[in-house]
Amino acid sequence: MLISVIIPHLNQEAYLTVGLEALHAQRAITSKIEIIVVDNGSARLPSTVCSAWPDVRLVSESIPGPGPARNRGIREARGDILAFIDADCRADPGWLAAIEAAFADRRTRIIGGDVQVSYENPSRPTFLEPYESIYSYRNSEHIAEGFSGTGNLATLPSVVAEIGPFAGIEVAEDRDWGLRACAKGYAIRYVPEMIVFHPARKTFAELTGKWDRHIAHDYERIRPRRLGALRWLGRTIAVAGSPVVEFRTLLFSPRVSGPRERILAFLCLTAIRLYRSGRMIGVLLRDDGLKISAAWNRK
């Protein structure tokens, strides 16, 4: 069996180096592995990084966005299983073994795993790290809703052939692809042993940039519906008041520890939810969700 690991890349050479090292330190894997890095318009191609490993192929995709980059990787792949991970993610040593074990069951078609935040300095968490640990990568919940984050996803080439390619930057490509799969009758299975680690964002501006994109995508999805503007306004109010109802999660989440981390998580949660509500009002007044979505690309 051959597993094709597909990695979209854009200006993340340092992270890519760590990620490739982690993929070459996998344990208990019996399948053969090929790794395809798809550069998506970097200022400099990561040729030096990729050439350090004989099983890593570097290709390019000119259409911007991680979805088109993954599509190019799929076209290049020769594997029996397609495994997707992002360039800034580090695979747990058992990541590929968990994927291999899941697909040993011939009924398995699509799987997604756990995404955890890695602290830069565990003894001194930043303002963003505890918040992101709890709220930013809740893939088990996403899978329950019908999609998996594409930074930790695996499927079969035959499934992709039936569902179709990933969408471009104008939509949330992971949710779009997953919901299309569900509409075709596929169920995405959550595999908790399939773990990748994602760094927290370093600045509040990076976090708000992520939410600008998600807000635009959600607005374009809700706007055409009956009473779309009124529904959007209701969501805006709910988001502004939501930190109050998150106390239980903040107190008992196993993804953080100690009072300092929980206080930091609450403060960051409050700040980002207020920011989101303000941006949601702005998108509604300007009706510019599509413009924001179309302009986005990873920095």
Side-chain angles (χ1 to χ4, degrees):
M1 181 180 291
L2 176 66
I3 300 177
S4 298
V5 180
I6 297 170
I7 309 172
H9 172 268
L10 178 62
N11 296 323
Q12 295 175 307
E13 281 193 32
Y15 283 129
L16 180 62
T17 300
V18 173
L20 290 176
E21 288 173 352
L23 288 172
H24 286 88
Q26 294 289 293
R27 298 194 298 254
I29 178 74
T30 61
S31 297
K32 294 181 179 179
I33 308 298
E34 68 169 359
I35 301 171
I36 303 167
V37 176
V38 185
D39 190 77
N40 199 214
S42 296
R44 179 180 66 181
L45 282 172
S47 304
T48 302
V49 173
C50 294
S51 63
W53 308 97
D55 57 350
V56 176
R57 277 191 287 149
L58 174 62
V59 298
S60 297
E61 173 54 59
S62 60
I63 300 173
R70 291 187 184 95
N71 294 336
R72 175 62 190 274
I74 292 166
R75 294 195 297 272
E76 295 283 338
R78 300 183 295 250
D80 305 290
I81 297 170
L82 305 174
F84 301 95
I85 190 170
D86 287 343
D88 56 356
C89 287
R90 172 175 56 86
D92 178 80
W95 185 65
L96 284 173
I99 293 172
E100 183 181 57
F103 282 98
D105 182 343
R106 294 187 178 275
R107 296 170 297 179
T108 301
R109 291 293 179 267
I110 310 172
I111 59 174
D114 190 17
V115 181
Q116 300 180 14
V117 169
S118 56
Y119 286 18
E120 192 169 317
N121 181 354
S123 64
R124 295 291 298 175
T126 67
F127 179 62
L128 298 179
E129 285 171 345
Y131 163 82
E132 294 234 83
S133 292
I134 298 174
Y135 292 103
S136 286
Y137 304 104
R138 297 184 288 185
N139 210 31
S140 61
E141 296 180 23
H142 295 329
I143 290 171
E145 296 167 1
F147 69 96
S148 172
T150 36
N152 193 8
L153 173 74
T155 189
L156 303 175
S158 60
V159 174
V160 175
E162 183 176 356
I163 304 307
F166 291 99
I169 59 176
E170 68 278 1
V171 301
E173 86 286 345
D174 48 7
R175 178 166 55 193
D176 172 77
W177 193 87
L179 294 181
R180 281 192 279 129
C182 288
K184 291 275 191 178
Y186 289 97
I188 302 176
R189 174 182 161 197
Y190 177 63
V191 180
E193 301 83 10
M194 180 183 168
I195 302 168
V196 302
F197 298 94
H198 196 294
R201 292 165 181 84
K202 295 185 180 299
T203 68
F204 193 71
E206 290 180 41
L207 185 58
T208 58
K210 164 205 160 182
W211 278 111
D212 288 346
R213 174 170 55 98
H214 285 308
I215 288 166
H217 288 158
D218 287 344
Y219 177 73
E220 289 303 314
R221 180 170 52 89
I222 292 171
R223 179 180 59 88
R225 298 179 183 177
R226 183 173 178 270
L227 301 176
L230 190 60
R231 291 181 186 216
W232 187 255
L233 185 59
R235 285 169 64 105
T236 300
I237 295 169
V239 166
S242 62
V244 175
V245 301
E246 292 290 338
F247 283 133
R248 181 176 177 83
T249 298
L250 290 160
L251 285 174
F252 297 108
S253 174
R255 289 184 175 257
V256 295
S257 61
R260 185 171 186 270
E261 287 191 30
R262 297 182 193 279
I263 290 170
L264 286 173
F266 174 73
L267 292 174
C268 188
L269 171 70
T270 302
I272 196 62
R273 295 283 172 92
L274 291 175
Y275 173 87
R276 284 172 57 190
S277 64
R279 288 290 286 173
M280 289 170 76
I281 291 172
V283 169
L284 177 63
L285 293 176
R286 294 188 301 271
D287 193 25
D288 61 350
L290 189 60
K291 179 181 178 182
I292 294 171
S293 296
W296 177 81
N297 199 0
R298 292 183 303 158
K299 298 292 190 275

